[in-house]
Amino acid sequence: MNKTPLTVRGAEKLKEELHQLKHVHRPAVIQAISEARAQGDLSENAEYDAAKERQSFIEGRIAELESKLSHAQIIDPAALDADGRCVFAATVEMEDLNTGDVHTYQIVGDDEADIKEGKISIGSPLARALIGKSAGDVAEVHAPGGMREYEIREVRYG
């Protein structure tokens, strides 16, 4: 299976969530199932059904996180030297040539993307248009609202 790029911070967040699920949520749901079983008839026990459903969700999420982490290629932006080109984990400052607005985004993996935090997915049209470009280049993005042009002002690593 192909490696999935992930920043160091993104990997840390997934590991933290995995730890919480394994060491806090899993034991709590096992306890809830045990308590519900002690109440007797399981056929009409809503608490038991809810706890089993929650357990199923937790176990599924644990498996998903373990798979993502095992297939992750962790990239430290501070260790990059891409000769000023836009690459995965780089932070890019750019100007929208249509509006003059300046935006700064970090190119991250799908699981890390959060536009409010200035993190865009490597698979997004904007990130795909930026990859390989350097400061001074213009990236053309085919957005749902039509063609957009961005001039890259600066590319930072770390």
Side-chain angles (χ1 to χ4, degrees), residues 108-120:
V108 297
D110 293 335
D111 291 316
E112 303 171 78
D114 185 346
I115 196 72
K116 293 176 194 152
E117 291 184 18
K119 296 176 187 257
I120 58 172

Side-chain angles (χ1 to χ4, degrees), residues 16-38:
E16 288 169 10
E17 182 182 354
L18 183 59
H19 184 269
Q20 276 288 109
L21 287 169
K22 283 184 166 182
H23 300 285
V24 177
H25 298 289
R26 181 188 268 167
V29 80
I30 290 170
Q31 180 64 32
I33 290 170
S34 175
E35 289 172 5
R37 263 198 191 123

